[in-house]
Amino acid sequence: MEKGWCHLCQEAVGTSLGVHLSDRDHVCLGLFLYLYALFPRNWAASDVLKHASYHQRFHPLARRFRNHATTDQLHTMSDSQRREELECIIRRLTQAPTRALTLTLQGRAAASLWNSGERIFKTDVTRIATMMLPPMAPGIHSTFTQKCWGRSNMERLYDALRIADIQKQFGQEPKLTRDGRSFFLRTLVWELHTAREVRDISPVTSLLIEKALYRLAYEATFLMSMYYMNRVQDLTLTLGFPSMDALYQLNAL
């Protein structure tokens, strides 16, 4: 960090240095810059997508690849298959004999329930992030998890799981805005959590609900991690692939 300039965010700071240092995006970039220095990779996501584009169109999972110009929903075959399984679980929970999801996807859930879903989802994401990521300070951990359940990441998750297609099957109009998509997913999380309390469900259905919640939290954490790892890949090139010692000198965090 030089006076008036942030190496991490590659932008002018001006007089609001303290505000900028506490910005969630700045903190998360610093976290993943350190992780990148600890676990470097020597390939570019864009090169991999370009090289694989010819083969992807012939693979049965090719329909999962929505946008080759970005890495918002990455996109190895194992990632696509994992999300396909989660999508199938969600669809199954809307059908007989389970019918655990009878409100959100059908457009019958109260609009205000997203707030409760957000509070519940924080617990799910925090638990997953604790297992997936190296030990870190509580403030940094909470900052990253807040980005995981934030509106932009929930919009990514909405697209990655093709929720719009499920809504269309129920005669509902897909959500088009970031707020609409993120609030919709949070409401879905609320219904999954409460289904076991308000309905008489079988052990199999209960297990499917548990798997759905776990996988939703995992995908949210994965997508946010991937987003920052791809950003810091370009950043490390700009900074000349700094070592851990160089990062400490830059006071990246």
Side-chain angles (χ1 to χ4, degrees), residues 12-13 89 97 103 119 252-253:
V13 177
I89 291 174
L103 298 175
R119 295 177 181 178
L253 272 180

Side-chain angles (χ1 to χ4, degrees), residues 27-231:
V27 173
C28 289
L29 277 173
L31 165 64
F32 281 87
L33 184 59
Y34 274 100
L35 292 178
Y36 192 96
L38 286 170
F39 308 101
R41 71 186 189 192
N42 57 6
W43 51 269
S46 57
D47 292 340
V48 173
L49 291 174
K50 181 178 179 181
H51 180 75
S53 60
Y54 176 79
H55 302 284
Q56 288 171 352
R57 57 182 173 173
F58 298 109
H59 194 279
L61 290 175
R63 63 192 180 90
R64 301 289 295 175
F65 295 81
R66 289 302 185 87
N67 189 346
H68 298 282
T70 72
T71 53
D72 276 356
Q73 298 175 31
L74 182 80
H75 319 313
T76 64
M77 290 302 176
S78 60
D79 296 330
S80 298
Q81 185 173 12
R82 187 183 66 245
R83 291 177 193 146
E84 186 91 14
E85 292 171 355
L86 175 53
E87 179 189 339
C88 289
I89 291 174
I90 292 175
R91 290 179 182 273
R92 188 70 183 88
L93 288 171
T94 67
Q95 303 168 359
T98 58
R99 293 196 182 281
L101 296 175
T102 61
L103 298 175
T104 308
L105 292 164
Q106 295 85 346
R108 298 194 294 127
S112 59
L113 291 176
W114 71 267
N115 189 44
S116 297
E118 178 186 15
R119 295 177 181 178
I120 296 171
F121 202 35
K122 291 179 181 180
T123 304
D124 297 328
V125 172
T126 299
R127 185 181 298 113
I128 289 291
T130 302
M131 293 187 291
M132 289 177 60
L133 298 172
M136 64 187 73
I140 297 175
H141 184 278
S142 62
T143 297
F144 173 68
T145 52
Q146 285 171 351
K147 296 292 289 186
C148 289
W149 64 66
R151 290 175 297 170
S152 295
N153 200 45
M154 289 295 95
E155 183 178 28
R156 294 187 190 98
L157 188 57
Y158 180 98
D159 290 335
L161 297 179
R162 303 192 308 156
I163 298 296
D165 292 345
I166 303 179
Q167 286 185 273
K168 290 177 182 177
Q169 290 187 352
F170 286 97
Q172 301 299 314
E173 290 294 326
K175 303 298 181 181
L176 301 177
T177 65
R178 182 180 64 174
D179 284 353
R181 292 176 176 183
S182 61
F183 293 171
F184 184 89
L185 270 179
R186 292 167 181 174
T187 305
L188 181 64
V189 169
W190 167 84
E191 187 173 12
L192 284 168
H193 266 283
T194 57
R196 286 176 288 191
E197 300 175 5
V198 300
R199 296 183 181 89
D200 184 16
I201 59 177
S202 68
V204 173
T205 302
S206 180
L207 179 61
L208 288 175
I209 291 172
E210 181 181 343
K211 291 295 183 182
L213 288 168
Y214 181 90
R215 288 184 174 224
L216 281 168
Y218 177 89
E219 292 299 337
T221 307
F222 181 92
L223 285 169
M224 200 72 252
S225 300
M226 182 193 64
Y227 169 78
Y228 279 115
M229 284 302 288
N230 282 304
R231 283 184 64 181

Side-chain angles (χ1 to χ4, degrees), residues 5-11 20 23 25-26 29 231 235:
W5 179 259
C6 178
H7 290 283
L8 275 179
C9 304
Q10 295 294 299
E11 64 181 33
H20 181 82
D23 180 77
D25 200 48
H26 174 91
L29 277 173
R231 283 184 64 181
L235 180 59

